[in-house]
Amino acid sequence: MVLGALPDKPMHAMTRALVIAAPHSGAGKTTITLALLRALRNAGHNVAGAKSGPDYIDPAFHTAATGRPALNLDAWAMDTASLRARAITNTDLLIIEGAMGALDGAGQSGKGSAADLAETLGAPILMVQDASHSAQSAALSAAGLRALRPEIPIAGVILNNTRSPRHARMATAGLKAADIPHLGTLPHTVGLKLPDRHLGLVQAIEHPTLETFLEAASTEISKTCDLEAIAKAAAPLPQPGPLKRMPPLGQRIAVAEDAAFAFAYPHLLADWQAQGASLHPFSPLANAEPDPSADAIFLPGGYPELHAGPLAAAHIFRHALQNTSARIYGECGGYMVLGDALTDAAGTAHRMLGLLPLHTSFAIRRLSLGYRNLTPQGGPFSSPLNGHEFHYATILEEGAAPPLFTAEDADGNDLGKMGLALGNVSGSFAHIIAPR
């Protein structure tokens, strides 16, 4: 759960970090990261996980694998000093899972890639190579990364999805010829896989056999990978600079937290706490009201489209938000719930809170994805912010109300107005990551 990962962390001078990257999405980074996290924990290492870029789902799996709070580290949205400050944890070892391919970042520049994060943190990269369609050529990706980004050490390669012992030997020979350390192999027959849905993996809190999966993954990777060599490859993090924190929405903040509202960044919530705010979780799906003494209410993103019926029937939750004087802010899924109606995938329209003139639809889908430069026009924010969008929902109707932001994409292209701000209520499809 989101709020369980919040206490502001003490500094640890000896934190060492390693970035897990790959040449492309789907190579097996998440599975191997989770296997390594659990295996290293089981081997006695004081280890935590982190995710490169904007992601809510993978860090929850990292937390499950280690029992420790996971981080989001975003080389596009966070300044260098803040990145280094956030990466210092109260653990000895930080395993950072990259996103997409090692050089894939935002817009035309590619800024914010896993390679950029590794360079900023002085962390080596461990490449995950899906070898299912190559043999000796499995060395090309790591060799290419070494050539393109020579300033970043390559710790080595884990081969994933090898089809036979002979296939594994051929791929390993390619690594040896390129002078790239081979740190392990996961055969295709292992068959480790997590279920997914439209925004990524099914959430950790919804995975009934997650603990069994983590232990199985740990067992397999311990058999075939050199855990101690992987741990030793991690490098000490540089001394941090000043941390730029997100100002709190209020002093007593009620935070919606359940399967419909699970996408709140722990680092933002921790920032609010570090500045003196108290956080009070409640579950709209359980028809609960927010703390009556709260002066702000935060509805994070999540999967309201999967729970539209129960949310429409949550009359205590509805009455409380319709009659509060507290500041209310919603992101993405939370924004959809603040509107008049939400149409689900089957085409059924469900009544929402009616606090903003907005009707959204999951029956008519269009992918909106990318980083956003956000300039506040109203609502609770007073200075520029960095955020991102990732949703398939569309707007069917939007009434007259002032915008919350004007927005640009990562290349600086004008995206126009985004979100709505009306009285004490505001929201948009953007997820805020950090102050600009």
Side-chain angles (χ1 to χ4, degrees):
M1 282 295 187
V2 170
L3 299 190
L6 288 181
D8 203 35
K9 55 185 184 293
M11 293 297 188
H12 193 290
M14 292 302 293
T15 301
R16 296 175 298 115
L18 180 70
V19 174
I20 310 297
H24 52 76
S25 296
K29 293 189 301 295
T30 298
T31 296
I32 287 174
T33 298
L34 294 177
L36 283 174
L37 287 171
R38 176 54 66 90
L40 289 166
R41 190 197 76 165
N42 288 351
H45 289 277
N46 186 8
V47 61
K51 178 70 178 183
S52 172
D55 191 302
Y56 295 99
I57 296 173
D58 290 350
F61 281 91
H62 297 172
T63 296
T66 65
R68 297 182 179 276
L71 311 172
N72 284 91
L73 299 171
D74 196 307
W76 184 88
M78 298 173 181
D79 63 280
T80 295
S82 294
L83 264 180
R84 291 175 175 173
R86 293 194 187 281
I88 299 290
T89 68
N90 61 349
T91 61
D92 300 322
L93 185 59
L94 184 66
I95 303 297
I96 304 167
E97 180 187 349
M100 302 181 293
L103 297 176
D104 296 331
Q108 298 299 312
S109 70
K111 179 186 174 186
S113 66
D116 287 346
L117 179 60
E119 182 180 1
T120 299
L121 298 180
I125 287 180
L126 172 59
M127 288 289 282
V128 173
Q129 178 65 49
D130 182 354
S132 58
H133 299 291
S134 64
Q136 290 87 348
S137 295
L140 284 174
S141 295
L145 178 61
R146 184 173 59 188
L148 291 170
R149 300 293 292 267
E151 71 280 7
I152 303 171
I154 305 298
V157 169
I158 291 178
L159 297 170
N160 192 26
N161 284 325
T162 56
R163 300 291 171 152
S164 67
R166 179 175 178 270
H167 179 201
R169 289 194 297 271
M170 293 167 69
T172 303
L175 295 175
K176 184 177 180 180
D179 194 26
I180 296 168
H182 171 231
L183 296 181
T185 299
L186 275 182
H188 175 73
T189 52
V190 169
L192 296 171
K193 186 170 176 58
L194 291 165
D196 57 14
R197 58 163 65 111
H198 55 280
L199 295 182
L201 295 176
V202 172
Q203 297 179 85
I205 59 173
E206 300 177 75
H207 197 304
T209 60
L210 180 56
E211 185 64 21
T212 301
F213 171 87
L214 291 170
E215 283 300 319
S218 169
T219 298
E220 291 298 336
I221 208 163
S222 298
K223 292 177 186 174
T224 61
C225 294
D226 190 338
L227 294 183
E228 290 310 308
I230 291 168
K232 287 178 182 177
L237 289 167
Q239 288 300 308
L243 175 57
K244 199 183 286 186
R245 295 190 187 276
M246 185 72 190
L249 291 173
Q251 287 304 299
R252 293 181 62 83
I253 309 171
V255 182
E257 181 185 324
D258 54 32
F261 299 94
F263 294 170
Y265 281 126
H267 71 267
L268 290 188
L269 302 180
D271 282 356
W272 295 347
Q273 285 185 311
Q275 295 168 90
S278 60
L279 303 179
H280 306 271
F282 72 103
S283 171
L285 279 179
N287 197 21
E289 66 176 351
D291 187 325
S293 66
D295 60 353
I297 300 170
F298 178 36
L299 302 184
Y303 290 102
E305 65 272 14
L306 302 181
H307 304 279
L311 288 171
H315 61 283
I316 295 174
F317 165 62
R318 176 194 308 281
H319 182 267
L321 266 73
Q322 289 177 338
N323 291 278
T324 184
S325 60
R327 172 184 285 166
I328 305 173
Y329 168 64
E331 288 188 342
C332 200
Y335 178 52
M336 296 164 69
V337 173
L338 291 174
D340 294 318
L342 190 167
T343 297
D344 64 21
T348 301
H350 300 268
R351 178 189 177 198
M352 292 289 108
L353 295 176
L355 298 175
L356 292 174
L358 178 72
H359 182 177
T360 54
S361 173
F362 196 68
I364 303 173
R365 303 190 198 188
R366 183 180 66 250
L367 175 62
S368 295
L369 172 65
Y371 283 111
R372 302 292 181 252
N373 294 309
L374 303 169
T375 302
Q377 304 297 305
F381 310 111
S382 58
S383 57
L385 304 165
N386 289 329
H388 71 99
E389 276 190 276
F390 182 20
H391 61 91
Y392 289 89
T394 56
I395 295 175
L396 293 184
E397 297 177 23
E398 188 174 65
L404 178 58
F405 301 119
T406 55
E408 296 176 341
D409 67 14
D411 291 320
N413 297 309
D414 183 14
L415 300 178
K417 298 175 181 179
M418 177 177 286
L420 299 170
L422 193 61
N424 65 321
V425 183
S426 62
S428 81
F429 272 119
H431 300 271
I432 294 169
I433 303 172
R436 196 180 315 164

